Amino acid sequence: VSGAPYRLLDRSKPIAAILAIAGTLLALLLGKSWEVALGVGVVLGGSTLAIALAMYRQAVKAKPQ
């Protein structure tokens, strides 16, 4: 059994964290409030994880059983 789909999901976690932090900092540098900046970070990190999860599910679903 190939572990490639799991590795994709596992490797996306730190990428999502980095993107969330970068998005938050960028929003703060652009003069947005803390609430808006945190919202940007959550949306950016969450969407990255959601895309990785969708790719993971598609790869697992596509495997012949």
Side-chain angles (χ1 to χ4, degrees):
V1 174
S2 174
Y6 176 74
R7 283 193 303 272
L8 169 73
L9 190 60
D10 194 46
R11 289 181 182 165
S12 68
K13 292 175 188 174
I15 294 169
I18 291 169
L19 288 174
I21 292 169
T24 302
L25 291 176
L26 184 60
L28 286 172
L29 287 174
L30 291 174
K32 303 298 179 186
S33 68
W34 274 100
E35 293 85 9
V36 171
L38 289 176
V40 168
V42 167
V43 168
L44 190 56
S47 62
T48 304
L49 286 178
I51 291 169
L53 181 60
M55 291 172 64
Y56 169 78
R57 287 189 177 175
Q58 187 66 28
V60 169
K61 187 178 180 181
K63 284 186 179 181
Q65 302 249 347

